Amino acid sequence: MTAFKTIKSQLSVLAKITAALAVFGLAIGIPAQVASTTAASATSPFSQLAVVAPLPGITPRTPASALSATQTCTKFATAAGWANNGYYGGDLVTAVAICVAESAGDPHLIVCNNGTVPPPHGDYPGFTCPSGTTSYDRGLWQLNSVAASTVSDTCAFRASCNAGNAYLFSQRGTSFVPWVSYDQDIYTTFLDSAQGVVTSLTGGTVTSALLGECLVQSKSASGAKVVIADCGSGGTSQQWTVSGGKLRSGSFCAAVTSVTAATAGVVLRACAPLKVQQWVAYGRDELRNAASGKCLTDPKNSLTAGTAVVVTACTNAKNQTWWLP
């Protein structure tokens, strides 16, 4: 408890320094809070992760570098599963803006917490933290080596793995308080560029309003069922391209198995100009099949990975709400 209070005191002092320097357009690094070493998991994500504020020379200063950073962060944020469920406040937009603020889109950034302001930083591998370093922050979402000790350096400095863990640490997009750049509103500088890139997306995860569930192909083959799975893996089976009214996964498209049944399955078929493969936005973020007139549904509000989705009568229900990339 003493250590925790000491760190909180340091953060308070440094926050005042940050505020003073912000007048001159500078941002300083703040040592990461070491609050816990609880492992992150799909069922009990670690919510006490803390990271550093952006550093001088790290935050992109030009439109070109800011755009590049935003594109990188968006690519991995949408693959991880953050939902594109709002305008200037959606999980995906917020996650992207935080990523840009924390690392400027550099998946290899390492920031050393040794009490100096700003802390030493460089790219991994190659850069070594100096003696006296108590922890270091890693990659796109700056995962702390102590607070997120269950995440290896190999994972933390690999963009997709970093993003997947950051998604879990955000409690599947429900909380961004672990990030200092969020708490201090530094991330808001990048909301415009984040929203712009997110708006232009045509691919990523299709996320359910049932917390943390994503649309997945059970296997890459014609006739394979479309199912749900926990978001956060960043795997190709969770990636969908949305264009021309189709939900495309590789060379296959999601199609209904019947246009007359009250409840019908959804499977992969070779993409073709068929109405059974056409989906249109309907109601409040529902997906209605053009041929059957029914909506994509997670039956019985299941949160069990591997559950096959179906189409049923549209009712504006939570288990029929899907957010496209």
Side-chain angles (χ1 to χ4, degrees), residues 33 40 44-51 81-83 85 89-96 98-99 102 141 143 163-183 187 211-212:
Q33 169 190 335
S44 181
F46 177 36
S47 62
Q48 297 301 315
L49 177 71
V51 291
W82 276 292
N85 58 351
D91 299 342
L92 181 56
V93 172
T94 301
V96 170
I98 288 172
C99 173
E102 295 290 343
W141 277 270
L143 307 184
N165 278 278
Y167 169 76
L168 296 178
F169 296 151
S170 73
Q171 300 184 52
R172 300 187 182 279
T174 62
S175 173
F176 292 100
V177 294
W179 283 273
V180 174
S181 61
Y182 178 80
D183 294 335
Y187 82 106
L211 182 62

Side-chain angles (χ1 to χ4, degrees), residues 10-324:
Q10 292 172 348
L11 286 172
S12 177
V13 172
L14 287 171
K16 294 177 182 178
I17 298 174
T18 303
L21 291 180
V23 175
F24 301 97
L26 299 175
I28 64 170
I30 296 179
Q33 169 190 335
V34 181
S36 172
T37 55
T38 304
S41 70
T43 56
S44 181
F46 177 36
S47 62
Q48 297 301 315
L49 177 71
V51 291
V52 299
L55 302 167
I58 296 299
T59 300
R61 300 296 183 185
T62 67
S65 62
L67 177 60
S68 176
T70 305
Q71 289 171 333
T72 297
C73 290
T74 301
K75 173 184 176 181
F76 292 104
T78 187
W82 276 292
N84 185 10
N85 58 351
Y87 190 80
Y88 288 114
D91 299 342
L92 181 56
V93 172
T94 301
V96 170
I98 288 172
C99 173
V100 177
E102 295 290 343
S103 67
D106 180 1
H108 306 294
L109 178 65
I110 178 172
V111 177
C112 312
N113 301 312
N114 66 350
T116 62
V117 179
H121 60 279
D123 267 5
Y124 176 94
F127 179 82
T128 303
C129 287
S131 60
T133 297
T134 56
S135 68
Y136 51 92
D137 305 296
R138 306 165 293 174
L140 290 177
W141 277 270
Q142 289 289 276
L143 307 184
N144 182 261
S145 61
V146 174
S149 61
T150 55
V151 181
S152 68
D153 284 350
T154 300
C155 170
F157 291 110
R158 191 170 76 247
S160 59
C161 196
N162 185 292
N165 278 278
Y167 169 76
L168 296 178
F169 296 151
S170 73
Q171 300 184 52
R172 300 187 182 279
T174 62
S175 173
F176 292 100
V177 294
W179 283 273
V180 174
S181 61
Y182 178 80
D183 294 335
Q184 296 183 359
D185 287 334
I186 299 168
Y187 82 106
T188 58
T189 302
F190 307 103
L191 282 175
D192 278 334
S193 59
Q195 183 65 64
V197 175
V198 167
T199 299
S200 66
L201 279 174
T202 58
T205 52
V206 177
T207 55
S208 170
L210 297 173
L211 182 62
E213 297 306 315
C214 282
L215 206 61
V216 181
Q217 53 167 294
S218 56
K219 60 181 179 178
S220 182
S222 181
K225 293 181 179 180
V226 177
V227 302
I228 60 168
D230 294 337
C231 302
S233 73
T236 56
S237 64
Q238 292 189 6
Q239 306 309 301
W240 298 85
T241 300
V242 181
S243 62
K246 291 183 180 295
L247 294 178
R248 183 187 297 267
S249 180
S251 60
F252 300 105
C253 288
V256 296
T257 56
S258 171
V259 297
T260 57
T263 300
V266 181
V267 298
L268 297 179
R269 299 293 188 196
C271 294
L274 302 173
K275 289 187 71 175
V276 292
Q277 296 181 6
Q278 291 290 321
W279 302 86
V280 294
Y282 179 80
R284 296 183 305 173
D285 297 303
E286 293 170 291
L287 288 175
R288 184 167 68 173
N289 184 262
S292 69
K294 297 180 175 63
C295 286
L296 187 67
T297 306
D298 179 355
K300 299 181 180 179
N301 297 281
S302 171
L303 293 175
T304 303
T307 299
V309 295
V310 297
V311 289
T312 58
C314 301
T315 59
N316 249 342
K318 190 174 183 179
N319 65 334
Q320 292 184 337
T321 300
W322 303 91
W323 292 301
L324 301 175

